[in-house]
Amino acid sequence: MKKIVITGMGAVTPIGIGVDTYWENITAGVSGIDTIKSFDASELAVQIAGEVKNFNPSDYMPKDLIRKTDPFMQYAYIAAEEALKQSNLEIEPERTGIVMGTAMNGIATIAFTQDALSGAAHKKVGPRFIPKILGNIAAANIAIDHNIQGPSLTVSTACSSGGDAINTACMCMQTGKADVMLAVGAESVLCPLVIYSLANAKALSRRNDSPATASRPFDVTRDGFVIGEGGGALVLETEEHALARGAKIYGEVLGCGNTDDAYHVTAPHPEGRGAIACMKQAIAQANIDASQIGYVNAHGTATNKGDTVETASIKSVFGDKLPYVSSTKGATGHMMGAGGITEVITCVKAIETGVIPPTINLNEVDPECSGIDFVANTAKKAEIDYAMSNAFGFGGQNSSIIVGRYKG
């Protein structure tokens, strides 16, 4: 198999725009959860989220493009710009491709447009509405600006979309369809429609009076996840291509897993059948022993079933040689399609810096999640060579990505 390496990274998150700012804040234990500011949520049962803060898209992209795009597309575009700039890539149009991962596309734009339409005397929907809500247009905007003419795919596998975008991009290179692939994930779903549904499903935390401590992965007092938003991007290349152009290599994608629980549309399999198989599949492709993995960035959303099943699954896979495990969703909230990318970036940075980011707001580990070092509240120093990122989603979707230190 061809070696796939990482030569560029980009991030737009609730705790900072840009990989350096994101990493500084994630390791410092900063929370990005606050009261919703993008619309009036005061009448909703859930009034908190991880929004991208101090965001002025005109600082990053042309004004004409801003008018044509949903926020999730803007986050994708900005993350991709950072990753491409870091990579110093001179794009070969027909040998460069892009895979976009998003769970719910432009659902907030759909909801707010329908609200305006229902209450308007002159029922008018703008001509840009359709391209603003389509998932693939996020990739198209990036491809148009950078003349990317190779494979262009959009995956929507719920909250594993970002991880599956990486997997799909790697498959495109392994089969010779491209030498370089941009893997992007982005999400912005904040609107009453989504919040009502998830709140009624009892999936969301209702700690409106304490936003910064609302997301509590693996804690005995957790009461659901917090919606986050943002974008992430990776420039992936075959090793041969990266070395030929003298690129700086930040890490290697060693293994990718993708499975389905085949059990339930929202609940995980109670014995973690799909999650276990997914992690094992990624480890087998990486051709390493599970004991060599020093860190797992857990899916860890702070839902009751999700956290306990993932804990049991990790124990099943790693046995008595358990790695450090943390969930960065305590800080960012659940960024859905974007998280599958930004959390892989977290793994790359953990290997690069020797710092394991913490699970914030973890004050008392749920007894059903005991036995694992979740790096509670404070980052730890640890030299590691391999790390895994898990992303699990509705429909029983499972994604596991293993990255390693590039050793040439």
Side-chain angles (χ1 to χ4, degrees):
M1 289 179 64
K2 299 174 184 176
K3 283 190 178 184
I4 306 299
V5 298
I6 299 164
T7 58
M9 301 181 287
V12 178
T13 79
I15 55 170
I17 299 173
V19 169
D20 289 345
T21 303
Y22 166 72
W23 182 245
E24 179 182 347
N25 287 330
I26 206 75
T27 52
V30 173
S31 172
I33 313 301
D34 203 347
T35 302
I36 293 170
K37 302 293 196 301
S38 58
F39 64 92
D40 183 3
S42 60
E43 300 299 317
L44 301 183
V46 174
Q47 302 165 14
I48 56 176
E51 295 178 294
V52 177
K53 297 167 184 61
N54 304 314
F55 179 64
N56 184 358
S58 62
D59 291 341
Y60 305 94
M61 54 195 299
K63 290 184 179 179
D64 181 57
L65 187 56
I66 294 168
R67 290 191 290 269
K68 299 175 182 176
T69 49
D70 180 275
F72 94 93
M73 296 177 180
Q74 295 169 12
Y75 301 152
Y77 183 95
I78 294 164
E81 288 294 302
E82 181 185 13
L84 287 166
K85 182 177 180 181
Q86 186 183 69
S87 74
N88 291 313
L89 179 69
E90 290 186 16
I91 290 173
E92 303 162 61
E94 294 181 2
R95 297 298 301 167
T96 305
I98 183 168
V99 182
M100 178 71 202
T102 182
M104 288 194 273
N105 306 339
I107 192 168
T109 290
I110 295 170
F112 288 124
T113 300
Q114 181 60 54
D115 283 348
L117 180 65
S118 299
H122 299 285
K123 290 179 169 50
K124 182 178 180 182
V125 177
R128 298 189 182 101
F129 172 71
I130 295 299
K132 282 180 75 171
I133 66 169
L134 296 176
N136 73 299
I137 302 301
N141 287 325
I142 297 165
I144 290 166
D145 270 19
H146 293 280
N147 195 24
I148 296 172
Q149 299 179 27
S152 181
L153 300 163
T154 298
V155 298
S156 185
T157 48
C159 299
S160 69
S161 297
D164 287 334
I166 295 171
N167 190 357
T168 304
C170 289
M171 287 192 287
C172 285
M173 287 182 286
Q174 292 290 1
T175 55
K177 295 182 183 297
D179 301 314
V180 181
M181 292 292 295
L182 188 61
V184 187
E187 213 74 65
S188 182
V189 305
L190 283 170
C191 63
L193 181 68
V194 171
I195 292 173
Y196 277 133
S197 179
L198 291 172
N200 289 339
K202 297 181 170 56
L204 298 180
S205 172
R206 299 190 180 215
R207 287 191 169 88
N208 297 320
D209 58 343
S210 182
T213 64
S215 183
R216 304 180 180 192
F218 306 108
D219 193 273
V220 70
T221 64
R222 68 191 184 281
D223 68 331
F225 75 85
V226 177
I227 296 173
E229 63 175 2
L234 293 173
V235 175
L236 305 173
E237 301 184 48
T238 63
E239 178 190 41
E240 180 182 20
H241 188 273
L243 292 178
R245 70 181 188 88
K248 180 176 180 179
I249 295 174
Y250 295 91
E252 182 178 348
V253 179
L254 292 159
C256 301
N258 172 278
T259 65
D260 195 282
D261 286 358
Y263 172 71
H264 192 274
V265 294
T266 56
H269 188 276
E271 296 174 1
R273 177 173 65 194
I276 291 168
C278 188
M279 287 185 272
K280 286 184 174 180
Q281 186 183 107
I283 291 167
Q285 188 182 84
N287 197 29
I288 59 173
D289 190 84
S291 63
Q292 294 176 265
I293 295 173
Y295 170 56
V296 172
N297 187 289
H299 185 60
T301 60
T303 59
N304 181 41
K305 289 182 180 179
D307 285 8
T308 55
V309 169
E310 187 175 11
T311 298
S313 300
I314 289 170
K315 289 179 179 178
S316 175
V317 171
F318 291 93
D320 59 358
K321 295 183 178 179
L322 290 163
Y324 290 108
V325 178
S326 71
S327 171
T328 44
K329 291 182 178 71
T332 65
H334 190 353
M335 294 166 63
M336 302 182 185
I341 303 280
T342 59
E343 290 161 14
V344 169
I345 291 172
T346 303
C347 290
V348 174
K349 295 296 290 184
I351 293 168
E352 177 188 319
T353 63
V355 176
I356 308 296
T359 306
I360 67 170
N361 305 321
L362 178 54
N363 299 314
E364 183 181 352
V365 176
D366 183 337
E368 292 190 63
C369 299
S370 63
I372 289 178
D373 187 340
F374 289 112
V375 195
N377 297 308
T378 304
K380 290 188 175 182
K381 285 279 191 180
E383 292 298 320
I384 62 172
D385 288 323
Y386 305 99
M388 173 189 285
S389 175
N390 286 335
F392 306 141
F394 282 179
Q397 295 283 165
N398 303 295
S399 169
S400 296
I401 306 295
I402 297 173
V403 292
R405 187 186 306 279
Y406 179 68
K407 299 175 181 178

